[in-house]
Amino acid sequence: MRELTLHILDIIENSREAGADLIKLKIFEQPEQDSLKIFLKDNGSGIDEDKLEDITNPFVTTRTTREVGLGLSLFKQAAERCGGNFYIKSEKGKGTEVMVEFPYNHIDRAPLGDIITTIISFIAVNGDSIDLIYRHKFKNREFCFDSREVKKELDGISIQSKEIISWIKNYLKDSFAEIYGGEN
Amino acid sequence: MKSLKELKELRNKVQKEMEMRDQSTKPEIIVGMGTCGIAAGARDILKAILEEVDRRNIDLRVTQTGCIGMCEKEPLIDVKMPGKKRITYGNLSTDDVKKIIAEHVINGNIVKDLVIAKHED
């Protein structure tokens, strides 16, 4: 995967398959501390304790449950090839949490990529059934998008409607312009 | 979150448009979004579909699925027209997507050279 956002999209797909209806995504960019952190947390079915140990081994896959496969191993590899770290925590019946940490300035760190398209694609297809809380921090500035807040205003209209998706896209664009302040 | 008020105006607009549509006759496009699909470019395919839907103002349901076991044919999509067989297209580029929407979704003609499977359901 060429972009970290593609890994994010992939892990979110795991959450969807695990029956999650709430996904939390946090991206913290701290270039001065040479740190980029990505947190993903869902309330899906979780992973068995004995499977969790081997979950990032590409040759361990339980395709019948469709919960593991190459996705997590590729994400882990993306972190480790530039000296980063990958953590996973999961509890059966409660959900799964993934935390990946990268050295921000490492030459082998994949670029974050097109996060707006990633978020928008996910909501346009799954927004009615899965909620997303997305927090992005750059240095000391941050914003938070919560699809549940948007839905409150929509009064039954689908969040997947073209017009709403386009509004969210502009909202994210403005929010990024604000936190990057012309720096990125 | 700021500017949530704008959403209220938008909501009224969307509501009017929805009343005019017949919900039971919606075509559906299903995008393969497993690891294999994403690695092969499924996000760009999905983006192209959403852009086409927006540009042509078509009433279409877009959904996603995981890996369906035809990883080597990714990126792939299924097109399901109301009352018709589900058609799977594979090895797609974003230009192919535009072609499929124009020919299959709008005109009802299957794009034969891009088809990899047909389903009965």
Side-chain angles (χ1 to χ4, degrees):
Chain A
M1 309 245 181
R2 293 181 305 265
E3 301 175 7
L4 298 179
T5 48
L6 291 176
H7 289 286
I8 293 172
L9 193 60
D10 191 17
I11 304 308
I12 288 180
E13 164 64 19
N14 285 357
S15 300
R16 192 187 70 88
E17 297 257 1
D21 62 9
L22 181 65
I23 296 169
K24 292 177 187 167
L25 165 66
K26 287 191 276 187
I27 302 176
F28 290 172
E29 295 183 75
Q30 303 293 346
E32 276 130 6
Q33 281 115 53
D34 196 24
S35 162
L36 169 66
K37 285 182 189 155
I38 298 172
F39 305 86
L40 280 151
K41 189 178 179 182
D42 71 37
N43 63 352
S45 58
I47 304 163
D48 282 325
E49 209 175 320
D50 55 324
K51 257 184 222 157
L52 196 61
E53 248 172 69
D54 266 339
I55 203 85
T56 54
N57 179 344
F59 302 107
V60 171
T61 171
T62 55
R63 288 294 286 281
T64 48
T65 64
R66 298 269 189 170
E67 205 169 290
V68 292
L70 283 177
L72 286 167
S73 23
L74 290 173
F75 203 10
K76 187 180 183 210
Q77 190 193 40
E80 289 178 349
R81 73 161 176 245
C82 58
N85 293 299
F86 173 97
Y87 308 93
I88 185 162
K89 242 176 31 182
S90 187
E91 204 178 324
K92 199 75 193 157
K94 288 212 165 151
T96 303
E97 221 174 309
V98 172
M99 205 275 261
V100 192
E101 196 177 12
F102 300 87
Y104 196 91
N105 302 308
H106 198 289
I107 194 152
D108 291 326
R109 176 180 68 82
L112 187 58
D114 189 349
I115 185 71
I116 296 182
T117 297
T118 302
I119 301 284
I120 287 301
S121 311
F122 181 76
I123 297 176
V125 173
N126 303 295
D128 286 335
S129 47
I130 307 173
D131 278 309
L132 177 74
I133 304 174
Y134 165 43
R135 219 172 123 206
H136 197 116
K137 192 170 179 181
F138 178 72
K139 294 183 176 172
N140 58 354
R141 297 185 290 268
E142 64 176 301
F143 71 86
C144 185
F145 168 84
D146 187 338
S147 68
R148 297 170 308 176
E149 282 184 40
V150 173
K151 280 182 186 172
K152 254 187 239 161
E153 303 296 325
L154 292 180
D155 196 24
I157 295 282
S158 168
I159 196 170
Q160 295 178 207
S161 315
K162 296 193 284 279
E163 293 81 358
I164 308 302
I165 291 298
S166 154
W167 182 89
I168 297 172
K169 191 175 177 181
N170 288 327
Y171 171 82
L172 291 175
K173 268 189 197 161
D174 291 349
S175 304
F176 272 111
E178 235 162 72
I179 64 163
Y180 285 144
E183 278 188 68
N184 206 336
Chain B
M1 283 173 71
K2 51 161 198 180
S3 58
L4 280 170
K5 272 185 199 149
E6 289 171 15
L7 278 173
K8 285 214 170 100
E9 284 170 36
L10 214 50
R11 184 185 70 199
N12 296 334
K13 196 179 149 221
V14 177
Q15 204 143 29
K16 270 188 197 140
E17 279 178 29
M18 275 182 35
E19 280 163 9
M20 292 185 285
R21 291 172 185 160
D22 183 357
Q23 297 296 316
S24 63
T25 57
K26 263 191 188 185
E28 182 179 9
I29 294 185
I30 306 154
V31 186
M33 297 284 278
T35 305
C36 46
I38 292 170
R43 190 185 63 187
D44 292 336
I45 296 296
L46 179 52
K47 188 181 179 191
I49 295 170
L50 296 173
E51 280 170 0
E52 266 318 270
V53 167
D54 208 22
R55 195 172 69 81
R56 292 173 173 274
N57 198 23
I58 330 166
D59 192 21
L60 177 76
R61 215 158 78 88
V62 186
T63 56
Q64 76 175 69
T65 185
C67 173
I68 58 165
M70 292 195 274
C71 311
E72 78 284 6
K73 299 260 183 0
E74 297 279 1
L76 53 83
I77 64 171
D78 282 1
V79 176
K80 176 85 181 78
M81 298 301 286
K84 297 271 165 63
K85 282 180 185 173
R86 187 156 56 94
I87 305 293
T88 302
Y89 292 106
N91 295 318
L92 299 177
S93 69
T94 50
D95 284 341
D96 293 335
V97 167
K98 288 179 192 161
K99 193 173 169 191
I100 291 167
I101 289 181
E103 310 242 325
H104 191 167
V105 178
I106 295 177
N107 293 329
N109 303 317
I110 295 167
V111 186
K112 288 194 179 122
D113 53 337
L114 296 171
V115 171
I116 55 166
K118 282 184 190 179
H119 310 263
E120 287 300 329
D121 61 3

Coordinates of all heavy atoms in Angstrom, one line a residue, chain A residues 72-138:
Chain A
L72 N -3.6 -6.5 8.5 CA -2.9 -6.1 9.7 C -1.4 -6.3 9.6 O -0.6 -5.5 10.0 CB -3.4 -6.8 11.0 CG -4.8 -6.4 11.5 CD1 -5.4 -7.4 12.5 CD2 -4.7 -5.0 12.1
S73 N -1.0 -7.4 8.9 CA 0.4 -7.7 8.7 C 1.1 -6.6 7.9 O 2.2 -6.2 8.1 CB 0.7 -9.1 8.2 OG -0.4 -9.6 7.5
L74 N 0.3 -6.1 6.8 CA 0.9 -5.1 6.0 C 1.0 -3.8 6.7 O 2.0 -3.1 6.5 CB 0.0 -4.9 4.7 CG 0.0 -6.0 3.7 CD1 -1.1 -5.8 2.6 CD2 1.3 -6.2 3.1
F75 N 0.1 -3.5 7.6 CA 0.1 -2.2 8.3 C 1.3 -2.3 9.3 O 2.1 -1.3 9.5 CB -1.2 -2.1 9.1 CG -1.5 -0.7 9.5 CD1 -0.8 0.4 9.0 CD2 -2.6 -0.4 10.4 CE1 -1.1 1.7 9.4 CE2 -2.9 0.9 10.7 CZ -2.2 2.0 10.3
K76 N 1.5 -3.4 10.0 CA 2.6 -3.6 10.9 C 3.9 -3.5 10.2 O 4.8 -2.8 10.7 CB 2.5 -5.0 11.5 CG 3.5 -5.2 12.7 CD 3.3 -6.6 13.3 CE 4.3 -6.7 14.4 NZ 4.7 -8.1 14.6
Q77 N 4.0 -4.1 9.0 CA 5.2 -4.0 8.2 C 5.5 -2.6 7.8 O 6.7 -2.1 7.8 CB 5.0 -4.9 7.0 CG 6.3 -5.1 6.2 CD 6.0 -5.7 4.9 OE1 5.0 -5.4 4.2 NE2 6.8 -6.7 4.5
A78 N 4.5 -1.8 7.5 CA 4.7 -0.4 7.1 C 5.3 0.4 8.2 O 6.1 1.3 8.0 CB 3.3 0.2 6.7
A79 N 4.9 0.0 9.5 CA 5.4 0.7 10.6 C 6.9 0.3 10.9 O 7.8 1.1 11.1 CB 4.6 0.4 11.9
E80 N 7.1 -1.0 10.8 CA 8.4 -1.6 11.3 C 9.5 -1.3 10.3 O 10.7 -1.2 10.6 CB 8.3 -3.1 11.6 CG 7.5 -3.2 12.9 CD 7.2 -4.7 13.3 OE1 7.5 -5.6 12.4 OE2 6.8 -4.9 14.4
R81 N 9.2 -1.1 9.0 CA 10.2 -0.9 8.0 C 10.8 0.5 8.2 O 11.9 0.8 7.6 CB 9.8 -1.2 6.6 CG 8.8 -0.1 6.0 CD 8.8 -0.2 4.5 NE 7.8 0.8 4.1 CZ 6.7 0.6 3.5 NH1 6.4 -0.7 3.2 NH2 5.8 1.5 3.2
C82 N 10.2 1.4 8.9 CA 10.8 2.7 9.2 C 11.1 2.9 10.7 O 11.2 4.0 11.2 CB 10.0 3.8 8.6 SG 8.3 3.9 9.2
G83 N 11.1 1.8 11.4 CA 11.4 1.9 12.8 C 10.3 2.2 13.7 O 10.5 2.7 14.8
G84 N 9.1 2.1 13.2 CA 7.9 2.4 14.0 C 7.4 1.2 14.8 O 8.0 0.1 14.8
N85 N 6.2 1.4 15.5 CA 5.7 0.3 16.3 C 4.2 0.1 16.0 O 3.5 1.0 15.6 CB 5.8 0.7 17.8 CG 7.2 0.7 18.2 OD1 7.9 -0.3 18.2 ND2 7.6 1.9 18.6
F86 N 3.8 -1.2 16.2 CA 2.4 -1.6 16.0 C 1.9 -2.3 17.2 O 2.6 -3.1 17.7 CB 2.4 -2.5 14.7 CG 1.1 -3.1 14.5 CD1 0.2 -2.6 13.5 CD2 0.6 -4.3 15.1 CE1 -1.0 -3.1 13.2 CE2 -0.6 -4.8 14.9 CZ -1.4 -4.3 13.9
Y87 N 0.7 -1.8 17.7 CA 0.1 -2.5 18.8 C -1.3 -2.9 18.5 O -2.0 -2.1 17.8 CB 0.1 -1.6 20.0 CG 1.4 -1.0 20.4 CD1 1.7 0.3 19.9 CD2 2.3 -1.6 21.2 CE1 2.9 0.9 20.2 CE2 3.5 -1.0 21.6 CZ 3.8 0.2 21.0 OH 5.0 0.8 21.4
I88 N -1.8 -4.0 19.0 CA -3.2 -4.4 18.8 C -3.7 -4.9 20.1 O -3.0 -5.6 20.9 CB -3.4 -5.4 17.7 CG1 -4.9 -5.6 17.5 CG2 -2.6 -6.7 17.9 CD1 -5.2 -6.2 16.1
K89 N -4.9 -4.5 20.5 CA -5.6 -5.0 21.7 C -7.0 -5.4 21.3 O -7.6 -4.7 20.5 CB -5.7 -3.8 22.7 CG -4.9 -4.0 23.9 CD -4.9 -2.9 24.9 CE -6.1 -1.9 25.0 NZ -5.8 -0.8 26.0
S90 N -7.5 -6.4 21.8 CA -8.8 -6.8 21.5 C -9.5 -7.6 22.6 O -8.8 -8.3 23.3 CB -8.8 -7.7 20.2 OG -10.1 -7.9 19.7
E91 N -10.8 -7.4 22.7 CA -11.5 -8.2 23.7 C -12.7 -8.8 23.0 O -13.5 -8.0 22.4 CB -11.9 -7.3 24.9 CG -12.1 -8.1 26.1 CD -12.5 -7.2 27.3 OE1 -11.9 -6.1 27.4 OE2 -13.3 -7.6 28.1
K92 N -12.9 -10.1 23.1 CA -14.0 -10.7 22.5 C -15.3 -10.1 22.9 O -15.6 -9.9 24.1 CB -14.0 -12.2 22.8 CG -14.8 -13.1 21.9 CD -14.1 -13.4 20.6 CE -15.1 -14.0 19.7 NZ -14.8 -13.8 18.3
G93 N -16.2 -9.7 22.0 CA -17.5 -9.1 22.3 C -17.4 -7.6 22.6 O -18.5 -7.0 22.7
K94 N -16.2 -7.1 22.7 CA -16.2 -5.7 23.0 C -15.6 -4.8 21.9 O -16.0 -3.7 21.7 CB -15.3 -5.4 24.3 CG -16.0 -5.9 25.6 CD -15.6 -5.0 26.7 CE -16.5 -5.2 27.9 NZ -15.9 -5.0 29.2
G95 N -14.6 -5.3 21.2 CA -14.0 -4.6 20.1 C -12.5 -4.7 20.0 O -11.9 -5.4 20.8
T96 N -12.0 -4.0 19.0 CA -10.5 -4.1 18.7 C -9.9 -2.7 18.6 O -10.6 -1.8 18.2 CB -10.3 -4.9 17.4 OG1 -10.9 -6.2 17.6 CG2 -8.9 -5.1 17.1
E97 N -8.7 -2.6 19.1 CA -8.0 -1.3 19.0 C -6.6 -1.5 18.4 O -5.9 -2.5 18.7 CB -7.8 -0.9 20.5 CG -8.0 0.5 20.8 CD -7.8 0.7 22.3 OE1 -8.5 0.0 23.1 OE2 -7.1 1.6 22.7
V98 N -6.3 -0.7 17.4 CA -5.0 -0.8 16.8 C -4.3 0.6 17.0 O -4.9 1.6 16.8 CB -5.2 -1.1 15.3 CG1 -3.9 -1.0 14.5 CG2 -5.8 -2.5 15.1
M99 N -3.0 0.5 17.3 CA -2.3 1.8 17.5 C -1.0 1.6 16.7 O -0.3 0.6 16.9 CB -2.0 2.1 19.0 CG -1.8 3.5 19.3 SD -0.1 4.0 19.0 CE 0.5 4.0 20.7
V100 N -0.7 2.5 15.8 CA 0.5 2.4 15.0 C 1.3 3.8 15.1 O 0.7 4.8 15.0 CB 0.2 2.1 13.6 CG1 1.5 1.7 12.9 CG2 -0.8 1.0 13.5
E101 N 2.6 3.7 15.4 CA 3.4 4.8 15.6 C 4.5 4.8 14.6 O 5.2 3.8 14.4 CB 4.0 4.7 17.0 CG 4.5 5.9 17.6 CD 5.0 5.6 19.0 OE1 5.1 4.4 19.4 OE2 5.3 6.6 19.7
F102 N 4.7 6.0 13.9 CA 5.8 6.1 12.9 C 6.7 7.2 13.3 O 6.3 8.2 13.8 CB 5.2 6.4 11.6 CG 4.2 5.4 11.0 CD1 2.8 5.5 11.4 CD2 4.6 4.4 10.2 CE1 1.9 4.6 10.9 CE2 3.7 3.5 9.7 CZ 2.3 3.6 10.0
P103 N 8.0 7.1 12.9 CA 8.9 8.3 13.0 C 8.5 9.2 11.9 O 8.5 8.8 10.7 CB 10.3 7.7 12.8 CG 10.1 6.3 12.5 CD 8.7 5.9 12.5
Y104 N 8.0 10.4 12.2 CA 7.4 11.3 11.2 C 8.3 11.6 10.0 O 7.9 11.6 8.9 CB 7.1 12.6 11.9 CG 6.1 13.5 11.1 CD1 4.7 13.4 11.3 CD2 6.6 14.4 10.2 CE1 3.9 14.1 10.6 CE2 5.7 15.2 9.5 CZ 4.4 15.1 9.6 OH 3.5 15.8 8.9
N105 N 9.6 11.8 10.3 CA 10.5 12.3 9.3 C 11.3 11.2 8.6 O 12.2 11.5 7.8 CB 11.5 13.3 9.9 CG 10.7 14.5 10.5 OD1 9.9 15.1 9.8 ND2 11.0 14.8 11.7
H106 N 11.0 9.9 8.9 CA 11.8 8.8 8.3 C 11.5 8.7 6.8 O 10.4 8.8 6.4 CB 11.4 7.5 9.0 CG 12.4 6.4 8.8 ND1 12.6 5.8 7.6 CD2 13.4 5.9 9.6 CE1 13.6 4.9 7.7 NE2 14.0 4.9 8.9
I107 N 12.6 8.5 6.1 CA 12.5 8.5 4.6 C 11.6 7.3 4.1 O 11.0 7.4 3.0 CB 13.9 8.6 3.9 CG1 13.7 8.9 2.4 CG2 14.6 7.2 4.1 CD1 14.9 9.6 1.9
D108 N 11.6 6.3 4.8 CA 10.8 5.1 4.4 C 9.4 5.1 5.0 O 8.6 4.2 4.7 CB 11.5 3.8 4.9 CG 12.8 3.5 4.1 OD1 12.8 3.9 2.9 OD2 13.7 3.0 4.7
R109 N 9.0 6.2 5.7 CA 7.6 6.2 6.1 C 6.7 6.6 4.9 O 7.0 7.5 4.2 CB 7.4 7.3 7.2 CG 6.0 7.4 7.6 CD 5.7 8.4 8.7 NE 5.9 9.8 8.3 CZ 5.0 10.6 7.6 NH1 3.9 10.1 7.2 NH2 5.3 11.8 7.3
A110 N 5.7 5.8 4.7 CA 4.8 6.0 3.6 C 4.0 7.4 3.9 O 3.8 7.7 5.1 CB 3.8 4.9 3.5
P111 N 3.7 8.1 2.9 CA 2.9 9.4 3.2 C 1.6 9.0 3.7 O 1.0 8.0 3.4 CB 2.8 10.0 1.8 CG 3.1 8.9 0.8 CD 3.9 7.9 1.5
L112 N 1.0 10.0 4.5 CA -0.3 9.7 5.0 C -1.3 9.5 3.9 O -2.2 8.7 3.9 CB -0.7 10.9 5.9 CG -2.0 10.8 6.7 CD1 -2.0 9.6 7.6 CD2 -2.3 12.1 7.5
G113 N -1.2 10.3 2.8 CA -2.1 10.1 1.6 C -3.4 10.9 1.8 O -3.5 11.8 2.6
D114 N -4.3 10.5 0.9 CA -5.6 11.3 0.7 C -6.6 10.9 1.8 O -7.5 10.1 1.6 CB -6.1 11.0 -0.7 CG -7.3 12.0 -1.0 OD1 -7.8 12.7 -0.1 OD2 -7.6 12.0 -2.2
I115 N -6.5 11.6 2.9 CA -7.4 11.2 4.1 C -8.8 11.6 3.8 O -9.8 10.9 4.2 CB -6.8 11.8 5.4 CG1 -7.7 11.3 6.6 CG2 -6.8 13.3 5.4 CD1 -7.5 9.9 6.9
I116 N -9.0 12.8 3.1 CA -10.4 13.2 2.9 C -11.2 12.2 2.0 O -12.3 11.8 2.3 CB -10.4 14.7 2.3 CG1 -9.8 15.6 3.3 CG2 -11.8 15.1 1.9 CD1 -9.8 17.1 2.8
T117 N -10.5 11.8 0.9 CA -11.2 10.8 0.0 C -11.5 9.5 0.8 O -12.5 8.9 0.7 CB -10.3 10.5 -1.2 OG1 -10.1 11.7 -1.9 CG2 -10.9 9.4 -2.0
T118 N -10.5 9.1 1.7 CA -10.7 7.9 2.5 C -11.9 8.0 3.4 O -12.8 7.1 3.4 CB -9.4 7.7 3.3 OG1 -8.3 7.6 2.4 CG2 -9.5 6.4 4.1
I119 N -12.0 9.1 4.1 CA -13.2 9.3 5.0 C -14.5 9.4 4.3 O -15.5 8.7 4.6 CB -13.0 10.6 5.9 CG1 -11.7 10.6 6.7 CG2 -14.2 10.9 6.8 CD1 -11.7 9.7 7.9
I120 N -14.5 10.2 3.2 CA -15.7 10.4 2.4 C -16.1 9.1 1.8 O -17.3 8.8 1.8 CB -15.4 11.4 1.3 CG1 -15.3 12.8 1.9 CG2 -16.4 11.5 0.2 CD1 -16.5 13.2 2.7
S121 N -15.2 8.3 1.2 CA -15.6 7.0 0.6 C -16.2 6.1 1.6 O -17.3 5.5 1.3 CB -14.3 6.3 0.1 OG -13.5 7.1 -0.7
F122 N -15.7 6.1 2.8 CA -16.2 5.2 3.8 C -17.7 5.7 4.2 O -18.6 4.8 4.3 CB -15.3 5.2 5.1 CG -15.9 4.3 6.1 CD1 -15.7 2.9 6.0 CD2 -16.6 4.7 7.2 CE1 -16.3 2.0 6.9 CE2 -17.1 3.9 8.1 CZ -16.9 2.5 8.0
I123 N -17.9 7.0 4.4 CA -19.2 7.4 4.9 C -20.2 7.3 3.7 O -21.3 6.9 4.0 CB -19.1 8.9 5.3 CG1 -18.2 9.0 6.6 CG2 -20.5 9.4 5.7 CD1 -17.9 10.3 7.1
A124 N -19.8 7.6 2.5 CA -20.7 7.5 1.4 C -21.3 6.1 1.2 O -22.4 5.9 0.7 CB -20.0 7.9 0.1
V125 N -20.5 5.1 1.7 CA -20.9 3.7 1.5 C -21.5 3.1 2.7 O -22.4 2.3 2.7 CB -19.7 2.9 0.9 CG1 -20.1 1.4 0.9 CG2 -19.3 3.4 -0.4
N126 N -21.0 3.5 3.9 CA -21.4 2.9 5.2 C -22.0 3.8 6.2 O -22.4 3.3 7.3 CB -20.1 2.2 5.8 CG -19.5 1.2 4.9 OD1 -20.0 0.2 4.6 ND2 -18.3 1.6 4.5
G127 N -22.1 5.1 5.9 CA -22.5 6.1 6.9 C -23.8 5.8 7.6 O -23.9 6.1 8.8
D128 N -24.7 5.2 6.9 CA -26.0 5.0 7.6 C -25.9 3.9 8.7 O -26.6 4.0 9.7 CB -27.1 4.5 6.5 CG -27.5 5.6 5.6 OD1 -27.5 6.8 6.1 OD2 -28.0 5.4 4.5
S129 N -25.1 2.9 8.5 CA -25.0 1.9 9.5 C -23.8 1.9 10.4 O -23.9 1.3 11.5 CB -25.0 0.5 8.7 OG -24.1 0.5 7.7
I130 N -22.8 2.7 10.0 CA -21.6 2.7 10.9 C -21.2 4.2 11.2 O -21.1 5.0 10.3 CB -20.4 2.0 10.3 CG1 -20.8 0.6 9.9 CG2 -19.2 2.0 11.3 CD1 -19.7 -0.1 9.1
D131 N -21.1 4.6 12.5 CA -20.7 5.9 12.8 C -19.2 6.0 12.9 O -18.5 5.1 13.3 CB -21.4 6.3 14.1 CG -22.8 6.8 13.9 OD1 -23.0 7.7 13.0 OD2 -23.7 6.3 14.5
L132 N -18.7 7.2 12.6 CA -17.3 7.5 12.7 C -17.0 8.7 13.5 O -17.6 9.8 13.2 CB -16.8 7.6 11.2 CG -15.3 8.0 11.1 CD1 -14.4 6.7 11.4 CD2 -15.0 8.5 9.7
I133 N -16.1 8.6 14.4 CA -15.6 9.7 15.1 C -14.1 9.9 14.7 O -13.3 8.9 14.9 CB -15.7 9.6 16.7 CG1 -17.1 9.3 17.1 CG2 -15.2 10.8 17.4 CD1 -17.3 8.9 18.5
Y134 N -13.8 11.0 14.1 CA -12.5 11.2 13.6 C -11.8 12.4 14.1 O -12.4 13.5 14.0 CB -12.6 11.2 12.0 CG -11.4 11.7 11.3 CD1 -10.1 11.3 11.7 CD2 -11.5 12.6 10.2 CE1 -9.0 11.8 11.0 CE2 -10.4 13.1 9.6 CZ -9.2 12.7 9.9 OH -8.1 13.2 9.3
R135 N -10.7 12.2 14.8 CA -10.0 13.4 15.4 C -8.6 13.5 14.7 O -7.9 12.5 14.6 CB -9.8 13.1 16.9 CG -10.0 14.3 17.7 CD -10.0 13.9 19.2 NE -8.9 14.7 19.8 CZ -8.3 14.2 20.9 NH1 -8.6 13.1 21.5 NH2 -7.4 15.0 21.5
H136 N -8.3 14.7 14.2 CA -7.0 14.9 13.6 C -6.3 16.0 14.3 O -6.8 17.1 14.4 CB -7.1 15.2 12.1 CG -5.9 15.0 11.3 ND1 -5.8 14.0 10.3 CD2 -4.7 15.6 11.4 CE1 -4.5 14.0 9.8 NE2 -3.8 15.0 10.5
K137 N -5.0 15.7 14.7 CA -4.2 16.8 15.3 C -2.9 17.0 14.6 O -2.3 16.0 14.2 CB -3.9 16.3 16.8 CG -3.3 17.3 17.7 CD -3.3 16.8 19.1 CE -2.7 17.8 20.0 NZ -2.6 17.3 21.4
F138 N -2.6 18.3 14.3 CA -1.4 18.6 13.7 C -0.7 19.7 14.6 O -1.3 20.7 14.8 CB -1.6 19.2 12.3 CG -0.4 19.7 11.6 CD1 0.6 18.7 11.1 CD2 -0.1 21.0 11.5 CE1 1.7 19.2 10.5 CE2 1.1 21.4 10.8 CZ 2.0 20.5 10.3

